[in-house]
Amino acid sequence: MTQTVQLPLWLFVLIMLFAAVTALSHFLLPSVRWFFRRRLEKAVKRLNTRLKRPIEPFKLARRYDMIQRLIYDPDVTREIVNYARENGVPENVAFEKARDYAREIVPSFSAFAYFSFAIRLTRLLANFVYRIERSDVNDRILSGIPKDATVVFVMNHRSNMDYVLVTYLAARDSALSYAVGEWAQVWPLSWLIKSLGAYFIRRRARGALYRKVLARYVQMATAGGVNQAFYPEGGLSLTGKLQKPKMGLMSYLVEGFDPEGGRDVVFVPVAINYDRVLEDIVLIAAHERGDRRFGARISVVVGFVLRKLWQKVTFQETRFGTAAVTFGTPLSLREAGAQVQVETLSHDLMGRIAGVMPILAVPAVCHVLLGEQGIEDTALRKQAAALFDAVPEDYRVVDAADRPLEISRAIEGLVNRKLIEERDGGWHVIEGKQAILRFYANSIAHYFQADAARAKGFSAPAGS
C-alpha cells in the first residue's frame, strides 16, 4: 500500500481532472446551485411585491422538471404510442422524439435576465427608434382583469419591433411568454430568447406528436397562470393589412380550458401601428414575389445600428416617428361559454383589434395621397387631420392639438425617403413608390371602406 507508483504526466493530469469534475458535480456545484437558487427566490419574492401580476411558480420551475412533466403527461404518452405504431418504430424511439420536441419548446425563464436586462434593453431600443404613444385606457383595461386570471395578449403583427414594444409596456404588470417562430432558433439568440420565457413554434410542423407536445405545454402554462402573447395572424403582414387569423394556438387554449374550475383565461386585443415599419421594403418585396423569404443580411443590420449611433453622437434625430399601442375590450373565455367556436373567437378578437387600431400621421397622409394625387398642401393637412377621428375617442393616441405637428413630421419623413414630392402646387406620389404608401395606408383602410356597414361589423370593438 505504501509503494511508489510511477505514472506518465499526461495520465496524472487526466486523473486529477476527473477527480476535480467529480468533486464539483457531487459536492460543490449542488451547494452553489442551492445558494444561488435561494437568492433568486428571495429576489423574485421582492420583485413580485412590485408587479401587478406576480410571476407564478410554473414560470420559475426548473426547465428539466418541466420537460419531464411534459413528456410524461398522459395525453403526450398516448400520442407517443400512436406515433410508434403508425411509424413502425419502438416506443422508446418515439419517446426520445417527444423529448427532443419538449427540449425545443420549453423555455428556461430567468427573472434576472428578463427584468434586469431585457426590460432595460427594450426600453432603450423602443425610445431610441420611436416616440411611443399608448391609449389612456390601456392601464384601466389591465387593472380591470381579475388577478387570478391568465392574461393572453392577442396582437396584430406589423414588425419584429412588436415584441419590444409590448414587452416594454407590460413590464410594470408581469413577465410575458411569447410564441416565436423558427427565425429565433439561432445561437446565441435562441439561448437569450428562451431565458426571457419565449417558446419556439415550428410554423410548418404537421406531425401529430409535435402538435400534442406543443398543445400540452401551452395548456400547462396557461393553467399555471403564465401571462402570454401571440400573433393569431401567424406571421408579419406583407401588405400592412390585418390578416386572417390562424387557429393553432387559439385551439390549444380553448381545448385545454376548464370552464368549471381553475383559472379564467382573458384575451386582451392589442393593436399596434407605426409611422415607419423597419422592415417595410423587405415585406413589400416578399409580397410582390409571392413568398415569405426575408433576406435581411447581417451587414444591413450592422449598418443600420452604426448609422443610428452616429446620429445619436452628432445630436441628430434618431427616431422614425411614432409607434402606438392600444388595448381593446378584453374577452373572458369563461364568459364566452364552453361551446364557443375557435373560429368565431379568433375573428371576434381580430375585429376588436381592428376597431382600436391607432391612426398615426404617416398612414393618414398616405391614405389621402393615394386617393387624390396633386392635392394642395393645406387640403392634404386638413383631410389627414380629419382621419384621426375615425378611431373611437377613448382609443385615440394623438391629441387634436398635436395633429398639425405630427402631420408635418410625416410629410417631412416621406419627402426625405423620396416617396413624395411637391410640384405644380400640389403633393404627388413619386412614380414607383405607390406600393410603400399603400403598405402604410392599408393599416387603417378598414375604417374607410365603401361598405360602411360591413366594415363596422368587422371592426367595431365590443361594447362600442
Side-chain angles (χ1 to χ4, degrees):
M1 295 294 291
T2 59
Q3 291 178 326
T4 303
V5 178
Q6 290 184 335
L7 295 173
L9 179 60
W10 67 267
L11 182 57
F12 176 75
V13 171
L14 189 61
I15 292 172
M16 293 303 296
L17 284 174
F18 275 116
V21 170
T22 302
L24 282 172
S25 61
H26 286 78
F27 300 105
L28 296 178
L29 289 182
S31 300
V32 171
R33 284 197 297 265
W34 177 85
F35 173 76
F36 283 108
R37 183 79 181 176
R38 291 288 297 170
R39 295 201 64 177
L40 176 62
E41 289 173 353
K42 291 179 180 178
V44 170
K45 188 175 181 179
R46 291 194 299 269
L47 176 63
N48 279 341
T49 62
R50 302 198 303 268
L51 295 175
K52 296 179 182 178
R53 296 182 179 278
I55 304 172
E56 297 292 341
F58 180 95
K59 199 171 182 67
L60 299 171
R62 291 195 310 165
R63 182 168 181 264
Y64 173 81
D65 294 338
M66 280 306 309
I67 291 173
Q68 293 298 104
R69 179 181 170 188
L70 183 56
I71 59 180
Y72 284 104
D73 178 82
D75 290 346
V76 173
T77 302
R78 282 192 292 272
E79 198 58 54
I80 288 173
V81 174
N82 293 337
Y83 179 90
R85 183 175 59 252
E86 292 171 3
N87 291 274
V89 298
E91 289 186 10
N92 63 322
V93 173
F95 183 84
E96 287 304 316
K97 190 78 170 178
R99 189 193 297 275
D100 290 341
Y101 290 151
R103 286 173 177 161
E104 179 182 300
I105 293 168
V106 175
S108 52
F109 176 73
S110 167
F112 174 79
Y114 192 95
F115 287 98
S116 295
F117 171 72
I119 297 303
R120 287 187 173 92
L121 179 62
T122 56
R123 182 183 297 113
L124 176 66
L125 183 59
N127 287 289
F128 186 70
V129 180
Y130 295 108
R131 294 184 296 274
I132 310 299
E133 297 289 350
R134 53 184 174 181
S135 168
D136 293 336
V137 303
N138 286 6
D139 290 338
R140 188 164 71 245
I141 286 172
L142 290 183
S143 299
I145 299 173
K147 300 298 183 186
D148 59 347
T150 298
V151 177
V152 179
F153 293 93
V154 182
M155 307 179 291
N156 68 300
H157 204 4
R158 296 295 312 283
S159 167
N160 286 309
M161 280 295 293
D162 299 345
Y163 298 97
V164 175
L165 290 179
V166 177
T167 298
Y168 164 43
L169 294 179
R172 294 177 301 171
D173 291 271
S174 187
L176 296 181
S177 180
Y178 281 95
V180 298
E182 293 94 331
W183 63 268
Q185 290 183 306
V186 179
W187 191 91
L189 185 61
S190 59
W191 170 84
L192 175 62
I193 287 176
K194 279 184 177 289
S195 70
L196 300 181
Y199 56 95
F200 294 121
I201 293 181
R202 296 185 182 184
R203 300 291 184 187
R204 297 175 180 83
R206 294 293 181 267
L209 179 57
Y210 175 81
R211 292 200 304 270
K212 180 58 68 176
V213 175
L214 175 60
R216 287 303 297 142
Y217 173 75
V218 172
Q219 291 161 1
M220 288 178 180
T222 305
V226 176
N227 297 319
Q228 301 172 51
F230 75 95
Y231 304 100
E233 296 168 298
L236 289 164
S237 173
L238 304 184
T239 63
K241 295 179 180 179
L242 290 175
Q243 306 168 87
K244 292 182 179 180
K246 294 180 170 57
M247 309 300 169
L249 279 178
M250 187 67 72
S251 65
Y252 300 156
L253 291 166
V254 173
E255 291 168 5
F257 179 65
D258 179 9
E260 302 299 327
R263 298 174 183 271
D264 189 11
V265 177
V266 178
F267 297 101
V268 177
V270 180
I272 306 174
N273 208 357
Y274 298 88
D275 270 336
R276 181 172 176 183
V277 173
L278 300 183
E279 312 92 331
D280 55 3
I281 301 299
V282 174
L283 297 174
I284 293 168
H287 174 64
E288 291 175 348
R289 291 194 308 270
D291 60 39
R292 298 192 68 86
R293 296 197 307 272
F294 308 130
R297 300 185 302 275
I298 189 64
S299 58
V300 175
V301 177
V302 172
F304 169 79
V305 173
L306 292 177
R307 283 196 304 274
K308 287 298 168 187
L309 288 175
W310 174 251
Q311 290 173 352
K312 189 71 173 178
V313 169
T314 56
F315 302 101
Q316 301 179 52
E317 176 61 69
T318 63
R319 291 176 289 190
F320 283 139
T322 299
V325 180
T326 58
F327 297 164
T329 305
L331 190 157
S332 163
L333 197 51
R334 181 169 293 157
E335 292 177 2
Q339 304 304 317
V340 65
Q341 298 296 313
V342 174
E343 184 174 2
T344 301
L345 183 66
S346 298
H347 282 90
D348 186 358
L349 288 168
M350 289 303 298
R352 297 184 188 213
I353 292 172
V356 298
M357 181 63 64
I359 292 183
L360 299 177
V362 167
V365 169
C366 291
H367 179 84
V368 174
L369 285 173
L370 289 172
E372 189 173 349
Q373 281 275 45
I375 186 173
E376 190 267 338
D377 184 75
T378 302
L380 170 62
R381 294 171 185 270
K382 183 178 180 180
Q383 291 185 32
L387 298 183
F388 287 83
D389 293 331
V391 182
E393 186 172 359
D394 287 345
Y395 298 96
R396 295 172 192 167
V397 296
V398 180
D399 294 332
D402 297 329
R403 292 176 190 176
L405 175 59
E406 289 292 311
I407 292 171
S408 293
R409 286 171 169 167
I411 294 173
E412 181 181 359
L414 293 172
V415 170
N416 291 339
R417 292 189 69 187
K418 296 180 172 54
L419 301 178
I420 64 173
E421 62 183 357
E422 190 175 19
R423 67 173 189 271
D424 302 327
W427 286 102
H428 297 260
V429 180
I430 294 176
E431 186 63 32
K433 303 299 183 180
Q434 287 85 355
I436 301 178
L437 270 70
R438 191 173 299 111
F439 176 83
Y440 288 98
N442 280 343
S443 67
I444 60 172
H446 58 276
Y447 286 122
F448 313 106
Q449 291 174 353
D451 186 351
R454 180 167 60 85
K456 183 175 179 58
F458 172 70
S459 64
S464 64

